[in-house]
Amino acid sequence: MNAPLPVEVLKQHLIDPEICIRCNTCEETCPVDAITHDSNNYVVDPEICNGCMACVPPCPTGSIDNWRLVVRAEAYSVQDQLGWEELPGEKVLPADTAAEPVLLAPADASVPGVAAAPVASGASVPPWSAAHPYVNLYTHKTPVTATVVGNYRVTGADTESDIHHIVLDFGEQPFPVLEGQSIGILPPGTDAQGRPHYARQYSLASPRDGERAGYNNLSLTVKRVTQDHGGAAAHGVCSNYLCDLARNDTVQVIGPFGHTFLMPNHPRANLIMICTGTGSAPMRAMTERSRRLLGTGDIGKLMLFFGARTERELPYFGPLMKLPRDFIDINLALSREAGQPKRYVQDLIRERAADVRDLLADRNTCIYVCGLKGMEVGVLDALQDVVVQSGKDWSILHEALRREGRLHFETY
Ligand code: FAD
């Protein structure tokens, strides 16, 4: 008589509902559409997930990186996961399980029906000298209360683009941050299904030691959303809530988030910063960090490519233009300025090819791209052109930039 087959064990991919901030990044990243959500949770379908890991590095919280050994026939279904408020503990497996758990199908295009994980354009590691970030100190269940100590518009009053600079103070409560990190805001109220609104993420616009140096505060750059991505009228829940806050109002905050889009900490590191609109927030944070170190001899070169429709729609235009030109090399790309040809950040990168190339050749240079979804492709094409023009191989340099944590994207 044949011995019974051992019970097959699955290493099941799960998302921690207590930490997940419902930002949709994982669902957008998954190459096989294994991730779905309802108004409660983001979940992974065990019938589809192939364990390719493409969703793990982009997740801002790490909530995506959870695994449980389960008997395959008893894997947690999508329905089970949608109802969870917290992750279940480890199950006790039967004694007759297979020796090796199955991590679903390998992420290999050679396996029929299984797509290979896409290669990310940016790095999944921080620069080697980045300071160590704190993440997930405050969650949905344990948010921290911050007080609004400033809220004013930083774009021309006569423009459609209503962008606010908002300063939040944490008082005595610890909220350690680094430039390039983001925080989550829990807007009050409920959605159409009566569930609390999910958190929205906002990049820090201030450096690690505070909007005002030595104070336990930070700033955000928030664009009031009045239209959806297709241009139809829409009322953005969180951005309108934030832009309408008054001094002394309080806000529920979670985070901080982000462990890769961080600035290098070693002396004379160079920064190439490429942004549009509110993508300027992390660039402001990094620039201000560098400005506060002026005079130490530790500052490398700063090169900024900043895109907007017009000067008046460019957040922080006034203060930016007051910065010394020998401290930061500012390149403004305006796409709708009267009497000027349309220019986008990628046009200026090509125009400044020689300087960009010199900086790229220096291993102390890190590149940060932040702003509209879709700008990634244009920027990568421009960087490629700049490198290829000089007879170098872009694919080798691109891979080195990723491996060494020197090329970072944050688009939304
Ligand atoms: P929602 O109520 O969520 O959406 C309303 C409608 O507007 C929907 O149809 C939606 O599809 C559409 N929509 C959503 N966002 C936008 C948008 N940006 N432009 C046009 N239409 C939109 N935003 C900032 O303003 N400043 C930041 O520094 C910032 N940093 C971010 C960092 C990260 C890592 C991520 C993932 C996002 C960041 N965002 C930032 C975007 C922010 O999290 C919100 O998505 C944005 O404020 C819209 O939220 P809402 O609640 O107002 O709109």
Side-chain angles (χ1 to χ4, degrees), residues 210-229:
E211 169 67 13
R212 187 169 172 197
Y215 282 71
N216 191 15
N217 61 17
L218 56 79
S219 63
L220 308 175
T221 312
V222 181
K223 178 174 174 157
R224 186 189 292 278
V225 170
T226 55
Q227 293 182 337
D228 67 15
H229 291 290

Side-chain angles (χ1 to χ4, degrees), residues 153-163 223-231 275-280 305-315 317 331-345 347-348 372:
R153 183 169 170 145
V154 285
T155 43
D158 55 338
T159 66
E160 278 175 25
S161 177
D162 185 5
I163 300 183
K223 178 174 174 157
R224 186 189 292 278
V225 170
T226 55
Q227 293 182 337
D228 67 15
H229 291 290
C275 62
T276 56
T278 54
S280 55
F305 294 93
F306 194 168
R309 292 197 297 192
T310 64
E311 268 178 22
R312 297 184 56 69
E313 288 178 62
L314 206 138
F317 179 70
N331 300 269
L332 300 183
L334 303 174
S335 59
R336 290 204 203 157
E337 194 67 71
Q340 285 186 21
K342 279 188 180 192
R343 290 158 104 212
Y344 298 96
V345 284
D347 299 325
L348 292 191
L372 290 177

Side-chain angles (χ1 to χ4, degrees), residues 120-128 363 395-408:
S121 314
S124 55
V125 289
W128 69 266
R363 289 183 77 176
S395 58
I396 293 174
L397 178 61
H398 187 192
E399 179 46 32
L401 291 171
R402 291 179 61 248
R403 197 179 52 243
E404 295 167 11
R406 293 171 49 210
L407 175 61
H408 296 276

